[in-house]
Amino acid sequence: MPNLQMLENKLPVAPLKLVVMDSAKELGEEINSYLVEFRKYLQATFKDMPSWEGYAEDSYLTQADCPRFGTGEAKGIFYESIRGKDLYILVDVCNHSITYTINGYTNHKSPDDHYQDLKRIIAAATGKAHRINVIMPFLYEGRQHKRSNRESLDCAFMLEELYAMGINNFITFDAHDPRVCNAIPLNGFDNYITPYQFIRGLLDKEKDLIIDKDHLVVISPDEGALNRTVFFANVLGVNTGMFYKRRDYTTIVNGKNPIVAHEFLGDSLEGKDVIILDDMISSGESMIDTARQLKEMNANRVFICCTFGLFTNGLRAFDEAYEKGYFERVITTNLNYLPPEIYDKPYYVQTKMSKFIASIIDFMNHDVSMENVYTPADKIHKVLDRYNKRLPLDEEESNV
């Protein structure tokens, strides 16, 4: 649960309402359940105070939708008043399973479609909400965050556009490059990382890990993931290494320069368990190649931890790599849509972020310090201490 003492000393800024776009329904319902659970305790303490009236609700979900016309055009609409509410809008721009009809044909929603629907909902609020907060776990166009030659700056433009529409806070997770917040230097941009959830998910499944520098190494699959890898390794007290992606910059394939080779920088991996840490699995080709090379370096077990499992080329390559023994586990979060068949894979582990996001919303609604959710090092140390003593991991430790 969130830190109750911090919350009970500060009034909420406004009544809380949660808008869950059709792309994030399952995640949104779990977040709503945790919010209901959290607020039962405080309501029992302050139930007779008028300023806390309506604080504890059976649900914080508000009715909103983006219906489509036959041409594929759409509109945003609220089915209840949101005047004076502290509005949190949750959207998963990578959910490709949502469809709509355009001129009699079935069309799958792209990230562009989800982003347009988000803007429609913001526009439908027509300035009546007390505050509008956007929760976009996967940062829309996050990989197009910098300009090389004649290119668009899509992610930076998206942030500027949303704040021009009147949002107050923007919340995302494990941004591909968090420096994109420089596009909106006077506005809020909260980027949360997920190392605690990774280690918790791994320790839940693997009971014989030895967490020290002689038995475990954390690897960055490329230079872009080095910062998060160094932080994770330092918290665990182990060494780190990095692969350098050597690319062919004379050629563009599927919008990117193809990788020629992965070059490893680091100490011997002989007999050591390895955690590969990154923000996303896209097609998965480079991740599988990294795991293969680690096994060729005589690494013991390989665990892949990525915040977002996109699997844009399907799961066949991962099935084959698992059968060949390239890796033991793939751990991702529930922050984005995943193909249903992945839940039956023997190598897949999902770590839940619902309780963590509910805590973020609760803290923000009270306008109190977010320090507890920004710094997971202490929580990781507590879990490691219990794990190393082979004690049960406390349920209260999970996800917050």
Side-chain angles (χ1 to χ4, degrees):
M1 283 188 61
N3 188 320
L4 291 180
Q5 187 174 4
M6 294 180 67
L7 299 184
E8 66 188 12
N9 291 330
K10 193 79 177 284
L11 289 171
V13 298
L16 172 64
K17 279 295 182 179
L18 181 63
V19 179
V20 177
M21 307 296 288
D22 59 358
S23 58
K25 283 197 176 298
E26 184 176 347
L27 176 61
E29 289 170 359
E30 291 179 7
I31 293 169
N32 178 60
S33 296
Y34 279 117
L35 285 170
V36 171
E37 177 186 336
F38 290 165
R39 297 197 163 199
K40 286 180 180 178
Y41 295 90
L42 281 181
Q43 178 69 5
T45 304
F46 300 103
K47 62 182 179 181
D48 297 325
M49 297 176 62
S51 55
W52 291 76
E53 185 177 351
Y55 181 75
E57 301 284 352
D58 294 331
S59 175
Y60 296 95
L61 298 174
T62 189
Q63 294 181 317
D65 194 14
C66 288
R68 297 265 170 175
F69 301 102
T71 58
E73 298 167 289
K75 64 179 178 180
I77 183 171
F78 283 95
Y79 297 103
E80 61 180 278
S81 173
I82 46 89
R83 183 182 294 274
K85 300 298 192 292
D86 191 19
L87 208 60
Y88 291 81
I89 307 174
L90 176 67
V91 59
D92 173 15
V93 297
C94 288
N95 189 339
H96 59 273
S97 69
I98 309 296
T99 60
Y100 63 93
T101 302
I102 175 170
N103 294 321
Y105 295 94
T106 299
N107 192 41
H108 285 258
K109 281 190 179 181
S110 69
D112 293 339
D113 289 316
H114 289 301
Y115 177 54
Q116 284 298 119
D117 283 349
L118 169 65
K119 291 194 294 181
R120 291 181 176 110
I121 290 297
I122 295 172
T126 61
K128 300 301 189 293
H130 178 78
R131 195 170 67 170
I132 298 177
N133 313 276
V134 171
I135 304 175
M136 185 186 289
F138 185 90
L139 185 61
Y140 173 72
E141 295 288 4
R143 285 179 284 183
Q144 191 52 32
H145 61 283
K146 61 183 179 181
R147 173 175 287 153
S148 298
N149 299 319
R150 302 178 185 89
E151 292 182 348
S152 57
L153 279 170
D154 297 57
C155 188
F157 180 74
M158 178 269 295
L159 292 172
E160 287 187 340
E161 188 174 29
L162 290 183
Y163 275 101
M165 293 186 72
I167 76 165
N168 299 88
N169 295 295
F170 187 89
I171 301 160
T172 191
F173 288 82
D174 218 344
H176 194 65
D177 189 341
R179 291 174 297 181
V180 74
C181 70
N182 293 336
I184 47 166
L186 301 181
N187 301 106
F189 180 92
D190 291 305
N191 177 49
Y192 294 97
I193 56 175
T194 56
Y196 172 77
Q197 285 74 19
F198 284 150
I199 196 64
R200 175 71 193 223
L202 183 58
L203 298 185
D204 275 340
K205 292 296 182 181
E206 302 296 331
K207 305 302 182 184
D208 59 346
L209 284 173
I210 302 176
I211 314 293
D212 63 35
K213 63 181 181 181
D214 296 321
H215 297 88
L216 182 69
V217 178
V218 181
I219 295 295
S220 172
D222 55 42
E223 58 275 21
L226 189 57
N227 285 342
R228 63 176 64 87
T229 302
V230 169
F231 171 79
F232 196 43
N234 284 339
V235 173
L236 297 182
V238 301
N239 292 326
T240 188
M242 184 189 84
F243 276 90
Y244 168 67
K245 290 180 179 177
R246 186 153 53 86
R247 296 180 180 271
D248 179 4
Y249 286 99
T250 65
T251 306
I252 296 178
V253 178
N254 294 327
K256 59 185 179 181
N257 303 109
I259 298 169
V260 176
H262 289 90
E263 309 288 353
F264 181 68
L265 304 174
D267 294 333
S268 171
L269 302 176
E270 184 79 34
K272 295 180 180 179
D273 292 327
V274 176
I275 297 175
I276 308 175
L277 194 66
D278 207 355
D279 60 331
M280 72 177 78
I281 296 173
S282 185
S283 66
E285 294 175 0
S286 63
M287 190 63 71
I288 291 172
D289 188 52
T290 298
R292 177 187 60 79
Q293 291 192 56
L294 290 170
K295 295 298 286 188
E296 290 176 355
M297 297 176 197
N298 296 320
N300 183 24
R301 291 173 292 183
V302 175
F303 306 100
I304 299 171
C305 296
C306 290
T307 305
F308 302 102
L310 305 180
F311 303 105
T312 56
N313 285 0
L315 298 171
R316 171 183 262 178
F318 281 89
D319 293 342
E320 294 174 355
Y322 177 71
E323 291 173 2
K324 293 176 181 177
Y326 291 166
F327 63 85
E328 301 293 323
R329 302 279 185 189
V330 173
I331 303 174
T332 74
T333 70
N334 65 331
L335 290 174
N336 66 285
Y337 170 80
L338 290 160
E341 60 269 22
I342 197 172
Y343 298 103
D344 297 326
K345 302 300 181 183
Y347 53 80
Y348 180 68
V349 178
Q350 184 181 74
T351 182
K352 297 278 190 176
M353 300 294 296
S354 318
K355 192 174 183 180
F356 183 48
I357 297 176
S359 299
I360 292 171
I361 293 173
D362 216 12
F363 272 82
M364 291 192 74
N365 181 239
H366 285 260
D367 225 4
V368 296
S369 172
M370 307 297 289
E371 182 179 0
N372 284 355
V373 290
Y374 266 125
T375 53
D378 289 343
K379 297 167 188 171
I380 294 176
H381 287 152
K382 288 179 183 178
V383 170
L384 286 177
D385 184 59
R386 294 187 66 84
Y387 181 83
N388 289 333
K389 293 176 181 176
R390 295 305 186 254
L391 297 173
L393 303 181
D394 283 339
E395 182 61 28
E396 283 299 310
E397 292 286 342
S398 66
N399 288 347
V400 290

